[in-house]
Amino acid sequence: MRLLVVEDEPDLLHTIATALREEGYAVDTAEDGEEGLFKARECDYDAVVLDVMLPVMNGFEVVKKLRESKKTPVLMLTARGRINDRITGLDAGADDYLPKPFDLNELFARLRALIRRSAGDASNIIQIKDVVIDVAARTVKQKGGLVELTAREYSLLEHLALRRGKLVTRTELYDHLFDENETSLSNLLDVHVSNVRKKLGHEFITTRRGHGYCIEA
Ligand code: CA
């Protein structure tokens, strides 16, 4: 899962980006509305966290312009108590909002819900053969026993599982698992796939040679 965080307060941007990386997301950042819009148009993010009050172009304008070409889920950070901000944001095309100051755990939960909804999955639980993935708790069980995955291995598994039955190209996986500063580490994808297979069984992820990977539905 790859996210974009657009926030002009450096401390808050750093706090949010660091916390999301610790949760296993690849995170890109932007410090004004114009840069945020540029990145959101360039890359297919799983979700965008977008502050309302931004230099150059405010968050409302960003989401409005983004909606001309993309459906990327957008969570807006609004000022507490400004009900008009929430209405304006939702009308402009935002999918959800979170008033500042907020609890990071609430931000995580709302992002998980947004990403799940955009993938067309209303449930927190994905079951594939004997593997059960709880996307709210971010846990994986096989035959009832907990499987230990690293944050990146989990992200890979979740991305494929949410698109089960469909081929996911290597390019798409790179775009969603690694952020703008890590894309040169090109051989890591195979290592993560190999590690997930060691833990869940080699057949669990199918390789479509030259094209990508798939978890059969
Ligand atoms: Ca701001």
Side-chain angles (χ1 to χ4, degrees):
M1 298 282 159
R2 183 169 171 184
L3 308 176
L4 173 66
V5 181
V6 191
E7 166 63 64
D8 61 314
E9 291 163 48
D11 287 351
L12 186 57
L13 178 61
H14 180 75
T15 302
I16 295 173
T18 305
L20 288 170
R21 286 187 186 116
E22 280 168 8
E23 288 287 296
Y25 296 100
V27 182
D28 292 350
T29 58
E31 290 171 27
D32 66 59
E34 194 174 59
E35 187 192 7
L37 178 63
F38 176 78
K39 288 188 174 179
R41 278 174 168 163
E42 284 291 298
C43 178
D44 286 327
Y45 291 104
D46 294 286
V48 177
V49 178
L50 180 63
D51 189 31
V52 170
M53 298 298 286
L54 289 168
V56 191
M57 185 189 289
N58 72 37
F60 302 133
E61 292 171 72
V62 172
V63 73
K64 214 168 179 174
K65 290 208 162 83
L66 180 64
R67 284 291 171 261
E68 291 167 8
S69 57
K70 287 203 163 182
K71 292 181 190 164
T72 315
V74 172
L75 174 67
M76 294 205 86
L77 304 179
T78 60
R80 175 167 291 277
R82 300 255 322 241
I83 192 156
N84 282 341
D85 276 5
R86 297 179 220 162
I87 296 167
T88 310
L90 293 171
D91 280 347
D95 300 275
D96 198 3
Y97 64 86
L98 189 56
K100 285 177 170 180
F102 51 83
D103 185 291
L104 282 170
N105 287 315
E106 186 174 5
L107 175 70
F108 300 157
R110 283 172 184 268
L111 283 171
R112 287 195 298 265
L114 269 188
I115 292 166
R116 213 161 59 227
R117 284 206 300 272
S118 77
D121 257 309
S123 164
N124 288 330
I125 304 294
I126 303 171
Q127 175 146 22
I128 300 162
K129 296 169 202 161
D130 59 1
V131 174
V132 178
I133 303 164
D134 182 335
V135 298
R138 298 173 71 85
T139 57
V140 179
K141 287 182 179 173
Q142 189 170 35
K143 297 189 182 96
L146 206 60
V147 181
E148 297 275 356
L149 296 178
T150 65
R152 209 35 81 70
E153 288 162 11
Y154 175 83
S155 293
L156 167 72
L157 176 67
E158 186 186 82
H159 191 89
L160 291 171
L162 286 170
R163 292 156 187 82
R164 57 198 174 279
K166 293 178 192 147
L167 172 75
V168 178
T169 64
R170 292 177 60 86
T171 311
E172 181 181 339
L173 282 170
Y174 278 119
D175 284 349
H176 287 267
L177 295 182
F178 305 110
D179 69 33
E180 56 195 351
N181 302 315
E182 325 176 88
T183 42
S184 62
L185 303 169
S186 57
N187 59 348
L188 276 178
L189 181 59
D190 305 287
V191 175
H192 293 303
V193 170
S194 160
N195 287 343
V196 172
R197 280 175 169 156
K198 274 181 206 150
K199 293 173 183 180
L200 295 177
H202 188 79
E203 302 306 314
F204 196 73
I205 298 175
T206 312
T207 303
R208 305 266 178 94
R209 208 154 291 282
H211 298 287
Y213 299 100
C214 178
I215 289 179
E216 306 297 341

